[in-house]
Amino acid sequence: MKKLFVLLCAVLALSLLLTACGDKPEDAAPSESDVPAASIPTDPEEIKAHNEEIDEASINLIQFDTPAAGTKVATIKTSAGDIKIALYDKEAPKAVENWIALAEKGYYNGLKFYEVIPTVRISTGDPENSGNGGESSFDSGKFADEYSLNLWHFNGAVAMNNNGVSDANDSKFYIIQNNGISEELGQEMIDGGFPTKVIDKYLEVGGVPNYDFKDTVFGQVIEGMDVVEQIASAARDEQNKPSEDITIDSITIETL
């Protein structure tokens, strides 16, 4: 695990650059939980200490399990079609609480997808439609959240978009759209000490490990990845804004 903090520093720097430039990453680089949630590491020493403590045997990749009874599920109705996501309130309690509170009061209704990057992500949740706006449902404003070693930025993951600032989560969120990573990146992850089961899952389903240990994953698409792919492939301008508006019509929450 000792090499992992070096790799993560590199991929996090790359992801920040890519977010600013709006380009595709080069091969996109990283239940109820038995794993305690932890604060997001913010510097190399914290990342190193964190990675050296990872117990691979305790990681449960719940994103691809059939949602259990009691799971909260959201249906996001968009102008391009419906996307259904499972929410992990035990893994990312603050993110889910904030997101549901905003959804239930209609905050997201009518908002646009302000950024679409094929094989990376689609982003929404900003009334300013710029990626710089947004608000939280918490009285104290923007919030920090725990992240879980059971949740990763696999294809279809739903995560907070805080522009790289761990305590600046608000209404903005994105959905990962990337159905494959290269064997070369997989080898880099092996060399960097990523847990084997996580690497194997990335190689199987794809995703964007650049964002791991940076943004909080709080959900997973369980229906409608074709809609996510359609949105991601929409015509866009130089700032990655869709040439024609793609909007959220409504969000409904149910409990299985």
Side-chain angles (χ1 to χ4, degrees):
M1 291 285 186
K2 291 184 178 179
K3 294 182 180 178
L4 184 51
F5 81 100
V6 176
L7 175 62
L8 282 175
C9 289
V11 296
L12 293 184
L14 174 60
S15 68
L16 289 173
L17 176 61
L18 292 167
T19 300
C21 297
D23 290 331
K24 169 188 172 182
E26 289 285 329
D27 294 320
S31 98
E32 292 165 8
S33 175
D34 293 327
V35 181
S39 298
I40 297 175
T42 57
D43 63 45
E45 289 303 315
E46 288 179 352
I47 293 172
K48 177 181 179 182
H50 161 267
N51 291 327
E52 290 179 338
E53 294 176 0
I54 291 177
D55 177 9
E56 179 165 352
S58 68
I59 297 174
N60 179 17
L61 302 181
I62 62 174
Q63 288 160 267
F64 300 95
D65 292 345
T66 300
T71 300
K72 291 182 174 64
V73 173
T75 300
I76 305 173
K77 290 187 174 294
T78 80
S79 56
D82 293 356
I83 303 167
K84 184 173 288 189
I85 64 175
L87 301 170
Y88 303 111
D89 54 347
K90 292 182 174 63
E91 305 286 341
K94 292 180 182 177
V96 172
E97 178 186 355
N98 175 70
W99 193 83
I100 287 179
L102 293 172
E104 289 184 334
K105 74 175 186 178
Y107 179 90
Y108 292 113
N109 297 356
L111 296 192
K112 302 173 184 177
F113 285 86
Y114 62 82
E115 178 191 60
V116 295
I117 309 177
T119 69
V120 184
R121 67 184 190 180
I122 59 174
S123 302
T124 186
D126 176 11
E128 296 180 8
N129 200 38
S130 65
N132 298 314
E135 63 185 66
S136 166
S137 69
F138 294 112
D139 291 340
S140 57
K142 294 182 178 181
F143 65 96
D145 202 351
E146 301 82 10
Y147 74 90
S148 169
L149 290 174
N150 291 337
L151 299 174
W152 302 75
H153 286 79
F154 297 124
N155 192 33
V158 186
M160 304 307 302
N161 186 2
N162 56 34
N163 294 319
V165 182
S166 63
D167 62 350
N169 294 311
D170 52 30
S171 57
K172 297 187 294 295
F173 68 97
Y174 59 83
I175 302 175
I176 294 292
Q177 189 276 304
N178 184 36
N179 59 17
I181 68 169
S182 69
E183 292 185 3
E184 179 181 3
L185 177 57
Q187 185 59 52
E188 290 177 4
M189 295 173 73
I190 292 171
D191 294 341
F194 271 73
T196 299
K197 66 173 65 173
V198 174
I199 299 170
D200 289 345
K201 199 66 178 178
Y202 269 118
L203 289 169
E204 176 189 350
V205 303
V208 184
N210 306 63
Y211 301 142
D212 288 332
F213 310 120
K214 174 190 167 195
D215 294 336
T216 301
V217 174
F218 66 93
Q220 179 71 31
V221 174
I222 55 176
E223 292 180 20
M225 270 307 295
D226 57 328
V227 177
V228 175
E229 291 167 359
Q230 178 183 341
I231 295 172
S233 63
R236 56 194 173 121
D237 64 18
E238 293 181 354
Q239 284 72 48
N240 296 314
K241 293 184 185 299
S243 301
E244 297 184 3
D245 291 346
I246 305 171
T247 59
I248 294 176
D249 297 331
S250 65
I251 298 177
T252 56
I253 313 291
E254 62 179 325
T255 301
L256 298 181

